[in-house]
Amino acid sequence: MDDGASLPPLRDVINQYGLRAEKSLGQNFLLDLNLTGRIARCPGSLEGETVLEIGPGPGGLTRAILTLGAARLIAIEKDTRCLAPLQDVSDAFTGRLTVINGDALDVNESELLGAEKAHIIANLPYNVATPLLIKWLKNREQFKSMTLMFQKEVGDRITAVPRTKAYGRLSILCQWLCEVSPQFDISPRAFTPPPKVTSTVVKLVPREVPAFPADLKTLEKVVATAFGQRRKMLRASLKSLGGPTEDYLIAAGIKPTQRAEELTVEEFCRLAELYRKGQ
Ligand code: SAM
C-alpha cells in the first residue's frame, strides 16, 4: 500500500527504535496526526510537488507530507537513530522519500535540488532554526515556499510590524525578501517531550524581487547598526556607519529623532540605498 496506512502509530515507533529525545538535537516530537496534517497543508496543494523537510525525526510530519501527495520528499536528519524508522516510511511510500543523514546547515540546496524548486516544510530544531532560515533566505530562488515551526518568540520576530518590541533585524530581512504570514500556535502539550515554550508556524513565500530596491549587505549593515542601539535616536545610533548619516535620514524622509523600531521596511531600504550611493 502506498499511503502509509500500514505504518504503526508514532508512539510505537519511538518505543520500538528507542528514540529517547535528545535535548542537544532540539528533539520535541509531534505525534498528533491532525497537527502534522495541518502544517503540511500550509503551502497549498502538494500534489506533484518537491518538498524538503529538515529534521524528520520519527517521521510524523514526513508521513503527512507524503500522504498529501508530494511527488518527491528529501528529508535531512542528523540523528542516525532515526534512519531505520524513516526507512520504514520510505518503504511505505515507494520511491518518494529520500533521507539524507547529515547536518542541514552544511547542505547545499542548489546542488541537492538542481533546477527544481521545492517547498520547505519543517518542525525545526530550535537551536539552529534562525541560521537555517537566514541561509534559505539567501538561497530563496530555490524555494516556492517555506512552512516552518519556530519557538513563538522567534516566529513573532519574523512577522512583527514597526513600533512593536518584536520588530527588528529578522522582521525586516524576512519581510523584505518574502511574503510572510503567521499560521497558528501549537501548545507545548502537543509535543513529546513538551518544550518549555509555545511554538508557532510561519509561512514565508519568497518574492520574485525584494519588496523595495536595496542591496542586501548594505541593508543588513544599516539595520544591524540601527537596532544595535534600538533605544537611541537614529541620528546617534547610526553615527558609527560614518559619513553624513543625518543627511541621509532627512533625504529618506525620516526624522533623525526617530528610533529604529519606528521605521518601516521601505524606509530602511530608502536609507540603505542613500548610504550605499554615498560610499
Ligand atoms: N519532524 C519531527 C517531528 O515533527 O516530530 C522532529 C522535529 S524535532 C523538533 C527536530 C529534528 O531535527 C530532530 O529529529 C533532530 O534530530 C533534527 N535535527 C537537529 N539538528 C539538526 C541539524 N542540524 N540538521 C538536521 N536535522 C537536525
Side-chain angles (χ1 to χ4, degrees), residues 165-202:
K165 238 171 91 183
Y167 186 66
R169 294 166 66 176
L170 200 56
S171 335
I172 291 158
L173 188 62
C174 290
Q175 293 171 32
W176 180 54
L177 296 174
C178 299
E179 278 177 42
V180 167
S181 52
Q183 301 293 305
F184 52 91
D185 291 348
I186 301 186
S187 146
R189 286 194 312 270
F191 297 87
T192 304
K196 288 203 172 67
V197 293
T198 298
S199 300
T200 198
V201 179
V202 177

Side-chain angles (χ1 to χ4, degrees), residues 200-246:
T200 198
V201 179
V202 177
K203 178 174 161 184
L204 301 103
V205 177
R207 300 178 188 277
E208 288 275 322
V209 287
F212 310 100
D215 162 69
L216 173 63
K217 276 212 172 97
T218 315
L219 180 65
E220 277 187 314
K221 185 174 172 184
V222 170
V223 170
T225 310
F227 280 99
Q229 296 175 295
R230 68 184 290 148
R231 304 229 161 272
K232 286 202 175 166
M233 292 177 189
L234 290 162
R235 69 175 173 213
S237 61
L238 291 180
K239 259 200 181 125
S240 64
L241 283 176
T245 46
E246 202 158 330

Side-chain angles (χ1 to χ4, degrees), residues 124 129-134 136-137 146-162 164-183 200-205 265:
L124 289 173
T130 310
L132 281 172
L133 173 59
I134 303 282
W136 296 329
L137 286 176
M146 308 182 222
T147 296
L148 307 173
M149 179 159 15
F150 297 95
Q151 303 181 56
K152 185 158 169 53
E153 180 263 331
V154 177
D156 286 351
R157 285 202 275 132
I158 293 169
T159 57
V161 295
T164 62
K165 238 171 91 183
Y167 186 66
R169 294 166 66 176
L170 200 56
S171 335
I172 291 158
L173 188 62
C174 290
Q175 293 171 32
W176 180 54
L177 296 174
C178 299
E179 278 177 42
V180 167
S181 52
Q183 301 293 305
T200 198
V201 179
V202 177
K203 178 174 161 184
L204 301 103
V205 177
V265 176

Side-chain angles (χ1 to χ4, degrees), residues 11-240:
R11 208 168 281 285
D12 294 354
V13 172
I14 286 176
N15 291 334
Q16 183 190 344
Y17 289 99
L19 298 181
R20 200 173 44 80
E22 285 286 343
K23 216 174 167 183
S24 64
L25 285 169
Q27 290 182 336
N28 301 101
F29 301 129
L30 204 46
L31 310 184
D32 180 333
L33 297 182
N34 286 324
L35 281 174
T36 53
R38 207 172 156 203
I39 297 168
R41 279 192 294 274
C42 288
S45 170
L46 292 181
E47 280 297 333
E49 297 287 324
T50 296
V51 178
L52 188 62
E53 186 193 0
I54 308 306
L61 187 54
T62 319
R63 291 186 195 187
I65 294 166
L66 290 164
T67 303
L68 286 169
R72 184 173 174 226
L73 170 56
I74 303 171
I76 302 162
E77 175 56 63
K78 195 171 176 183
D79 187 349
T80 49
R81 299 177 307 161
C82 298
L83 300 181
L86 290 170
Q87 184 58 51
D88 296 342
V89 181
S90 181
D91 292 343
F93 292 91
T94 333
R96 292 160 61 200
L97 171 63
T98 306
V99 179
I100 295 175
N101 183 208
D103 188 328
L105 282 169
D106 298 334
V107 166
N108 181 328
E109 291 86 6
S110 310
E111 273 177 20
L112 194 65
L113 296 165
E116 220 163 327
K117 278 192 160 208
H119 297 274
I120 305 180
I121 305 177
N123 170 11
L124 289 173
Y126 291 151
N127 43 349
V128 289
T130 310
L132 281 172
L133 173 59
I134 303 282
K135 178 168 92 121
W136 296 329
L137 286 176
K138 293 187 174 169
N139 198 10
R140 64 197 170 280
E141 60 285 347
Q142 201 76 60
F143 308 116
K144 288 187 180 175
S145 73
M146 308 182 222
T147 296
L148 307 173
M149 179 159 15
F150 297 95
Q151 303 181 56
K152 185 158 169 53
E153 180 263 331
V154 177
D156 286 351
R157 285 202 275 132
I158 293 169
T159 57
V161 295
R163 296 172 190 272
T164 62
K165 238 171 91 183
Y167 186 66
R169 294 166 66 176
L170 200 56
S171 335
I172 291 158
L173 188 62
C174 290
Q175 293 171 32
W176 180 54
L177 296 174
C178 299
E179 278 177 42
V180 167
S181 52
Q183 301 293 305
F184 52 91
D185 291 348
I186 301 186
S187 146
R189 286 194 312 270
F191 297 87
T192 304
K196 288 203 172 67
V197 293
T198 298
S199 300
T200 198
V201 179
V202 177
K203 178 174 161 184
L204 301 103
V205 177
R207 300 178 188 277
E208 288 275 322
V209 287
F212 310 100
D215 162 69
L216 173 63
K217 276 212 172 97
T218 315
L219 180 65
E220 277 187 314
K221 185 174 172 184
V222 170
V223 170
T225 310
F227 280 99
Q229 296 175 295
R230 68 184 290 148
R231 304 229 161 272
K232 286 202 175 166
M233 292 177 189
L234 290 162
R235 69 175 173 213
S237 61
L238 291 180
K239 259 200 181 125
S240 64

